[in-house]
Amino acid sequence: MSDLHASPPVSGERTYGIGELAAEFGLTLRTIRHYEDEGLLVPARDGQARVYTHRDRARLALICRGKRLGFSLAEVKEFLNLYDVDDAQAEQMRYLQKAARQRIAALERQLQDVQQTLAELRAIDAEIDDHLNRRSRHEATSREDSNR
Amino acid sequence: MSDLHASPPVSGERTYGIGELAAEFGLTLRTIRHYEDEGLLVPARDGQARVYTHRDRARLALICRGKRLGFSLAEVKEFLNLYDVDDAQAEQMRYLQKAARQRIAALERQLQDVQQTLAELRAIDAEIDDHLNRRSRHEATSREDSNR
DNA sequence: ACCGTCAATGACGTTTACGTAAAGGTAAGA
DNA sequence: TCTTACCTTTACGTAAACGTCATTGACGGT
């Protein structure tokens, strides 16, 4: 009758259900739960049900991006800590900064890789264009300049 | 006695042993053989021993880069075909071009990801610097400006 | 009261990308 | 000839990242 179970709409923060996030990020429920098993997400609970805050949602977005970049869940996990710098002691801030700089270095290398690969593939694309055009022009020529 | 088994130094092309390539690329023999099992490499043979040409070596470099970019071996495999455009029929050139363009699109997305992540991490790095400096300056101040 | 939907374990299965022996072949050097 | 270094194949093992049931629970609607 009275909403005995409806989670408190106390703090004006909107929350998300697992299915909602799954749909939004194109993941399965299993996958999101797996991220929790691995300690990448620690959603609140409304009874048994998982309740995700904006912060959880942001973390999930970071996880997805990390995955797109080819990092393992373990790597993404360390990665995530970097975004929680606010509540860290000066002691471990230096550690986090070291970690951040290592990641930056890794990403700079990856940036090189991506750019080089892009350049090569674009060259290949152009080369194919070239080949195809020559061939078609050649065909046209050998057909005694039938067109034009 | 006479080099009955020494591979023909016929064509002036230098060749590589599997251990050589493993050392150069920081891979294990097992890994390189695995790439062969998966059809990513098809080295020549001198008896039983694998003999790698410059071309094989170049392919291996591409494989490594693909892996660094987070692609699966299956993806890298298709990827490799793009570099063999020379000996392709116009028929499948169009197919290869399509594949190339898909990869280009994927890499452009990845480029965005990398750049955004880099920007964020650099911001975090700076933010930590900031926090640490404020704190140290605060400490200094509270110590009645002990230094300087 | 019954249904359908969404979610929660729990547990075994699968794919990818190799690791790790085990058992042996070949050729150069002491 | 024996050792050492480098290579071979065969085959089982494994860690990561989920997929895929099977079973159960809580709600909302009719």
Side-chain angles (χ1 to χ4, degrees), chain B residues 98-119:
Chain B
K98 248 187 68 185
R101 287 181 176 174
Q102 285 175 4
R103 287 237 151 266
I104 288 173
L107 283 170
E108 280 169 348
R109 265 175 266 134
Q110 189 163 355
L111 186 60
Q112 295 302 311
D113 278 342
V114 173
Q115 286 175 340
Q116 189 179 344
T117 308
L118 263 175

Side-chain angles (χ1 to χ4, degrees), chain A residues 1-5:
Chain A
M1 307 230 159
S2 59
D3 44 342
L4 203 59
H5 261 282

Side-chain angles (χ1 to χ4, degrees), chain A residues 5 28 30-31 34-35 48 67 71-74:
Chain A
H5 261 282
T28 68
R30 177 67 177 88
T31 297
H34 180 60
Y35 294 161
Q48 276 204 314
K67 292 245 69 192
F71 293 107
S72 73
L73 292 185

Side-chain angles (χ1 to χ4, degrees), chain A residues 135-147:
Chain A
R135 183 176 296 267
S136 63
R137 242 182 303 142
H138 183 65
E139 279 172 9
T141 301
S142 61
R143 260 183 287 125
E144 287 157 277
D145 211 1
S146 55
N147 52 346

